[in-house]
Amino acid sequence: MLINNYTNTKIRRVVYCFLPIYLFLSLSISFSQRHSYSSPVTLTGNNVPIEDMIKLDYKALYNLDYDMSEGIIGLTNGGRIDVRVYDYDPSQTNGKGVAIYGIYITENSPDSYSENHINAQVVLSGANIDQFNIEAAGNDIKKRAQDARVYSPGQCNLDSWTDTFLSIWFNDCVGNYAPPVQPVVVEVISSANAEFIKAKIPGIGIISIDDQNIVRRQAVASFYDYCEDHANTPLCQLFHKIMNPSDDIDEEDILIAAHRGWWGYNMGDGDPENTLASLIAAQEQKGINIVEMDVTTSADHQLVLMHDYVMSRLTNYTGNEFSFQLPWLTMSQYKVRKRNESVSDLPLTQFSEVLSEVHHRSMILMLDIKELISKKTGNQCTANCDFQTKEQKNRSWVQILRQSIRQAESLNAKKNLIIKTYFHYDDLYGLIGNQVGNLLWTPMIVPNNFKNEHKQPDIQLMADFIDSWNTPENQHIVACFETNFFREDDVMLQPFTRNGHHYDNLLHYIYATTGKRSGIFSEEPVGPKGTVNRWGDWKVKDGTNDIRGDHFKLMSVPYANKMLITSDRLDVWQEIQNIF
């Protein structure tokens, strides 16, 4: 019997919420003969680096909206298959600490789920309410969060256990105070006559057993694989539109993406940037289904939507710390500023919130990772000096990327993502390996990143960068190429010859050789002071040296009529679409 969706299976999910292992075992069936498989574990003398261990995003584990369809797929053949997750404890001989999650299937389980989503009562009570009561489970969650120093006594009080209160408590308390991403041990146990195929775990993603009998986290199918079977859905039709510009060179075919959402309208009094509200406004008020947002990290490694590190610019915070110096619990207490610098009633938005929303709304989220970098005044480092080297910055970027993907996988939103990157394909592959091929990318081209031996931007080096991404095996992982030109005499906009072919500019080269769109950030001032960098330094925009905000000049550039325009002024660009 093949166990698959809940309509065909009897399956039980149990979150053990850090009770002692003996309670976990008391819920299990003893197998007279069984097979046991484990994920990689770092132990003394075994040469397994901690980077190879499976990581669990605890907050995603406690997400009540997680889709548990296909929780386990396997052949029970009258037996049983268990999947268990343990806290990593290096003091234990097998690395297994407290049991925190379990799911199992049998051919004759006493009950089954008919819905894809698990409610709070089930999550906190487990299968046997007599042995596993909700109050004890809740207190154990609080204890674990307190040990991780992301929760202090007196918060998350459990005053009532009605279904309504439980749901509120779960989202507001567990969601805020769950510990960050940590290594765990994943174990699969099956009866001798059962065959495990794969399982899906909140906060981890899909696991399977490799040919060496090791439990591994599996790469989730890319958007392309998804759209092979869902071509007529709004999401896949939108992806097809992005990746397949019109073949008619003269036809206007620009697309618009909302930069940080639709924000700052109504004379600056609209929704604030990089918030759930601005994302929703882009779709509901302007009909825009592509949104670019910035993600960075807090001091306790929570992913937060923020363009820069200056809390006092973005919120009503009045201290001197930067965002990466503050834990999420502190950051979440402040309200976000609007474009006119007044304070809204909205808190900062966590990345997981927008993932759930883009999945629900069939929107595309273009992710601009704001890794940690140092601040220099002249030649002196004045802030965040642990991130001065290229290796340190890359490590931060990769950490945020991997955490973002884990959250997206746990919320079934990976197919909704496009990741922006400055990396050459080979360099990115060296950083994240085969995961490059499971994601959709927008490689970005900035002239100053492609200087020749004369220290001048070189269009041939830019073409080399494009070629590194334009290979037969990569044709389904590039959404478009973002170009960043500033002046009409920019080298990117000059004609050139390559491999015996003439091109009007780099946009023409992209269109002719890759079949993809170019893109650009049509940088409009974000406030009365002009534009701002990650450290809150303002710059008044000079239109003679930066034409990106000059809408009509942009449209006069050859092949700009095929671009994906990322803009804060959706209203203006929609009017330009109508004109052209």
Side-chain angles (χ1 to χ4, degrees):
M1 170 180 168
L2 179 64
I3 305 296
N4 202 322
N5 293 317
Y6 283 119
T7 55
N8 302 319
T9 185
K10 306 252 179 166
I11 184 170
R12 175 169 296 137
R13 173 190 182 196
V14 181
V15 175
Y16 292 97
C17 299
F18 315 106
L19 289 181
I21 297 178
Y22 72 86
L23 282 183
F24 178 91
L25 297 176
S26 72
L27 296 177
S28 301
I29 295 175
S30 298
F31 304 134
S32 56
Q33 288 184 309
R34 65 181 188 176
H35 303 295
S36 180
Y37 311 93
S38 177
S39 61
V41 185
T42 302
L43 298 171
T44 303
N46 72 352
N47 297 320
V48 176
I50 196 139
E51 289 79 11
D52 285 355
M53 290 189 65
I54 290 177
K55 307 299 191 303
L56 169 68
D57 185 333
Y58 281 89
K59 182 167 183 178
L61 175 66
Y62 297 130
N63 187 343
L64 298 182
D65 292 327
Y66 187 76
D67 184 352
M68 278 298 296
S69 57
E70 300 186 359
I72 295 181
I73 298 179
L75 298 166
T76 58
N77 295 323
R80 168 170 168 153
I81 300 172
D82 276 62
V83 176
R84 304 172 180 176
V85 180
Y86 302 85
D87 251 348
Y88 170 54
D89 185 350
S91 69
Q92 301 297 316
T93 56
N94 56 11
K96 295 192 294 189
V98 177
I100 55 176
Y101 175 88
I103 183 172
Y104 65 85
I105 54 173
T106 67
E107 192 164 356
N108 298 302
S109 293
D111 60 2
S112 63
Y113 292 118
S114 59
E115 300 180 14
N116 286 343
H117 301 293
I118 311 302
N119 61 52
Q121 183 80 21
V122 172
V123 170
L124 293 180
S125 66
N128 190 331
I129 197 167
D130 295 329
Q131 296 181 11
F132 193 74
N133 69 80
I134 50 183
E135 187 170 0
N139 286 329
D140 281 341
I141 292 174
K142 288 165 53 182
K143 177 64 167 59
R144 180 65 174 79
Q146 184 177 340
D147 289 344
R149 296 185 178 181
V150 294
Y151 154 76
S152 58
Q155 295 169 315
C156 298
N157 292 321
L158 311 179
D159 300 323
S160 170
W161 285 104
T162 64
D163 286 344
T164 301
F165 179 82
L166 191 60
S167 297
I168 295 172
W169 177 86
F170 185 93
N171 287 311
D172 293 347
C173 182
V174 177
N176 286 332
Y177 305 118
V181 176
Q182 299 286 349
V184 291
V185 181
V186 181
E187 184 178 40
V188 175
I189 303 172
S190 63
S191 304
N193 56 336
E195 180 185 349
F196 172 79
I197 297 175
K198 64 181 179 179
K200 182 166 61 174
I201 304 173
I204 291 177
I206 295 176
I207 62 157
S208 59
I209 299 172
D210 68 12
D211 55 8
Q212 296 178 322
N213 291 328
I214 297 174
V215 178
R216 301 284 188 185
R217 180 175 170 275
Q218 194 179 86
V220 176
S222 67
F223 104 93
Y224 181 77
D225 294 324
Y226 171 81
C227 288
E228 283 281 275
D229 299 323
H230 302 83
N232 293 324
T233 62
L235 179 66
C236 293
Q237 289 177 343
L238 182 56
F239 271 122
H240 185 270
K241 179 70 172 174
I242 293 173
M243 300 174 70
N244 295 275
S246 168
D247 291 332
D248 185 344
I249 294 175
D250 297 321
E251 181 183 355
E252 182 280 315
D253 187 26
I254 63 172
L255 296 178
I256 302 170
H259 184 243
R260 307 179 199 170
W262 173 227
W263 65 289
Y265 52 91
N266 192 24
M267 298 299 290
D269 198 44
D271 293 315
E273 63 180 276
N274 276 323
T275 58
L276 192 61
S278 67
L279 179 138
I280 294 171
Q283 184 183 68
E284 293 189 353
Q285 297 186 33
K286 305 305 293 181
I288 300 295
N289 290 301
I290 310 169
V291 177
E292 183 203 295
M293 290 191 160
D294 308 292
V295 64
T296 189
T297 183
S298 64
D300 54 346
H301 308 294
Q302 300 297 307
L303 297 183
V304 188
L305 296 188
M306 295 180 69
H307 168 267
D308 48 84
Y309 314 133
V310 184
M311 284 286 292
S312 57
R313 181 188 84 81
L314 295 166
T315 73
N316 59 339
Y317 172 76
T318 57
N320 296 319
E321 286 99 347
F322 295 110
S323 56
F324 53 78
Q325 297 173 314
L326 297 172
W328 168 248
L329 179 58
T330 300
M331 296 173 68
S332 64
Q333 297 173 5
Y334 297 97
K335 304 302 182 183
V336 188
R337 293 186 185 276
K338 301 178 181 181
R339 186 190 286 259
N340 64 9
E341 300 187 357
S342 65
V343 179
S344 73
D345 59 355
L346 299 175
L348 288 165
T349 300
Q350 286 194 292
F351 181 56
S352 56
E353 296 179 70
V354 296
L355 283 175
S356 297
E357 201 66 30
V358 295
H359 171 65
H360 171 69
R361 292 175 174 271
S362 296
M363 298 175 72
I364 292 175
L365 178 61
M366 300 186 74
L367 193 60
D368 194 353
I369 295 174
K370 301 302 184 187
E371 73 277 22
L372 300 184
I373 61 174
S374 62
K375 181 181 182 180
K376 289 189 175 181
T377 303
N379 293 324
Q380 296 295 317
C381 180
T382 56
N384 211 24
C385 297
D386 289 338
F387 294 89
Q388 296 187 68
T389 68
K390 177 181 178 181
E391 290 74 18
Q392 290 164 332
K393 297 171 188 175
N394 288 352
R395 192 179 305 119
S396 173
W397 190 91
V398 170
Q399 181 182 26
I400 294 173
L401 171 71
R402 285 180 168 158
Q403 191 174 348
S404 300
I405 298 308
R406 280 195 296 269
Q407 289 190 10
E409 286 175 347
S410 71
L411 295 169
N412 288 330
K414 184 177 175 182
K415 63 184 178 297
N416 299 77
L417 290 184
I418 298 176
I419 314 294
K420 300 179 69 173
T421 180
Y422 291 106
F423 287 109
H424 186 285
Y425 174 81
D426 294 337
D427 294 336
L428 185 58
Y429 189 89
L431 290 171
I432 65 173
N434 291 329
Q435 195 170 37
V436 177
N438 294 317
L439 300 168
L440 191 60
W441 302 92
T442 290
M444 296 186 288
I445 308 162
V446 177
N448 285 340
N449 290 350
F450 300 94
K451 291 185 177 180
N452 56 27
E453 65 273 17
H454 304 296
K455 298 184 178 180
Q456 297 297 317
D458 191 323
I459 199 166
Q460 296 292 344
L461 295 179
M462 299 176 201
D464 288 343
F465 173 82
I466 294 165
D467 290 349
S468 80
W469 284 92
N470 184 33
T471 62
E473 60 269 22
N474 291 344
Q475 62 178 315
H476 299 307
I477 68 170
V478 175
C480 62
F481 291 86
E482 183 168 301
T483 54
N484 285 277
F485 47 85
F486 301 90
R487 296 163 52 99
E488 291 177 278
D489 59 357
D490 196 301
V491 64
M492 195 179 288
L493 299 184
Q494 304 310 306
F496 69 104
T497 300
R498 186 172 172 89
N499 299 325
H501 297 281
H502 176 81
Y503 302 99
D504 294 342
N505 55 28
L506 197 68
L507 283 65
H508 182 195
Y509 182 78
I510 291 169
Y511 181 73
T513 64
T514 73
K516 306 289 185 183
R517 298 177 185 274
S518 300
I520 195 167
F521 169 37
S522 174
E523 187 181 70
E524 294 95 0
V526 301
K529 301 176 185 177
T531 60
V532 66
N533 66 14
R534 293 193 208 181
W535 297 101
D537 300 323
W538 290 91
K539 177 183 70 174
V540 175
K541 191 176 180 70
D542 182 354
T544 62
N545 289 315
D546 190 347
I547 67 170
R548 290 177 298 168
D550 189 326
H551 310 94
F552 288 99
K553 276 189 178 179
L554 279 183
M555 289 303 296
S556 69
V557 173
Y559 294 90
N561 62 344
K562 300 290 186 291
M563 287 201 297
L564 172 63
I565 308 289
T566 303
S567 176
D568 297 310
R569 293 305 305 269
L570 308 181
D571 49 349
V572 174
W573 276 106
Q574 286 180 326
E575 286 298 319
I576 290 174
Q577 274 186 312
N578 295 333
I579 292 171
F580 285 89

